[in-house]
Amino acid sequence: MIDVRNLSFSYGVSPVLCGLTFTVEEGGLTALLGCNGAGKTTLFRCMLGMLPGYGGSLTLCGREIRRYRARELAQRIAWIPQSQTPAFSYPAFDMVLMGTTGQTGLFASPGRRQRETAMEAMERLGIAHLAGRSFLHLSGGERQLVLIARALAQQARVLLMDEPCASLDFGNQSRVMAQARELAHSGYTVIMSTHHPQHVLSYADRVIALSGGRLLKSGTPDEVMDEALMRTLYGIETAFVDSPVGRIVVAGRTA
């Protein structure tokens, strides 16, 4: 699906990505784990075709990302940002409907088919009842689900989720992550950046750990997640404990 080989990128003379090599297979939820400045957002921007000046190779379905036209790439990859505050108070349904713009002509208005697609996306996520409410008046968790619905309406099969649980409370984090996992297990390829090791343990099928723009480890959470990795990534001591709901990570003192 997505093949990364010796990928590098620099902002001026400052290297951000340094020789990354990994593969994301079709389907499942892959977590990009790392602290601030690890290169997660820059990697996403390369995948979205926003930073074509990278070195190495980055291919989607066997084709170099730089060879896709913007419209073609949008039909294959959808981006779900941390949050978004539109300039106008759009209804939630209109926010989702914006995801269908790639299915119409440049100056055409969305038709019945696009409106049905948008509503189907909202129904899938259980938020159809929010359709008429102002996006600006929704809770953080509701906004994030609307942004996920917009990505589904785009009808791309690869979903890039940029720290989807940033600033969300515990309950909304659980709801958003459960939806991400359900989408991944229903055939979407979900790639999620996160600062939360517990989200990786509880929801991810695969993890790619980054530090300083370099790949530290990759594999299943059981293979990758341990005390040594947490110490390297975050500079703290941790313990991994088996519980009735799975493995949990507990933070201790700073290293």
Side-chain angles (χ1 to χ4, degrees):
M1 171 63 73
I2 297 177
D3 192 51
V4 178
R5 289 288 175 267
N6 199 31
L7 184 70
S8 61
F9 186 83
S10 298
Y11 291 107
V13 297
S14 302
V16 181
L17 302 177
C18 307
L20 296 183
T21 295
F22 62 85
T23 299
V24 176
E25 301 293 345
E26 185 175 2
L29 195 162
T30 298
L32 300 178
L33 180 67
C35 62
N36 291 328
K40 303 185 298 297
T41 298
T42 298
L43 176 58
F44 274 174
R45 290 169 65 86
C46 290
M47 290 180 176
L48 291 164
M50 300 168 66
L51 298 175
Y54 58 79
S57 175
L58 175 54
T59 62
L60 171 65
C61 299
R63 182 179 176 187
E64 184 69 39
I65 289 287
R66 285 178 290 216
R67 295 182 59 190
Y68 283 96
R69 294 193 296 270
R71 190 181 184 91
E72 289 180 308
L73 197 57
Q75 293 171 349
R76 290 164 173 81
I77 298 182
W79 178 55
I80 301 163
Q82 292 181 30
S83 62
Q84 188 171 31
T85 303
F88 302 99
S89 183
Y90 294 107
F93 177 78
D94 287 356
M95 289 291 293
V96 176
L97 189 60
M98 291 176 190
T100 69
T101 55
Q103 305 166 26
T104 61
L106 183 60
F107 299 107
S109 298
R112 184 180 67 179
R113 180 179 176 184
Q114 286 73 40
R115 297 181 72 84
E116 289 175 349
T117 296
M119 183 53 69
E120 287 170 1
M122 298 190 78
E123 289 172 348
R124 177 166 189 166
L125 296 178
I127 57 171
H129 63 287
L130 302 177
R133 291 181 55 186
S134 167
F135 181 78
L136 296 178
H137 296 161
L138 301 180
S139 70
E142 289 169 338
R143 287 191 189 190
Q144 196 63 36
L145 291 174
V146 168
L147 295 178
I148 295 173
R150 184 177 67 180
L152 297 186
Q154 191 173 321
Q155 297 187 325
R157 300 303 295 178
V158 179
L159 306 178
L160 303 185
M161 306 181 73
D162 188 6
E163 297 181 27
C165 294
S167 302
L168 297 187
D169 63 37
F170 181 73
N172 280 319
Q173 288 183 34
S174 298
R175 294 181 188 98
V176 169
M177 290 305 306
Q179 290 289 356
R181 181 175 59 186
E182 194 281 329
L183 290 170
H185 291 176
S186 68
Y188 286 89
T189 301
V190 180
I191 307 174
M192 172 193 75
S193 66
T194 182
H195 293 301
H196 297 283
Q198 190 59 52
H199 290 169
V200 177
L201 288 173
S202 299
Y203 299 100
D205 300 300
R206 189 166 183 268
V207 56
I208 296 170
L210 301 178
S211 179
R214 300 181 184 277
L215 176 67
L216 290 184
K217 297 174 74 174
S218 66
T220 68
D222 285 342
E223 294 169 340
V224 171
M225 302 291 285
D226 58 24
E227 291 85 352
L229 180 64
M230 296 299 99
R231 193 179 304 117
T232 299
L233 288 179
Y234 303 111
I236 61 172
E237 296 296 334
T238 58
F240 286 78
V241 181
D242 291 327
S243 79
V245 294
R247 292 176 75 206
I248 59 174
V249 57
V250 181
R253 61 179 176 82
T254 57

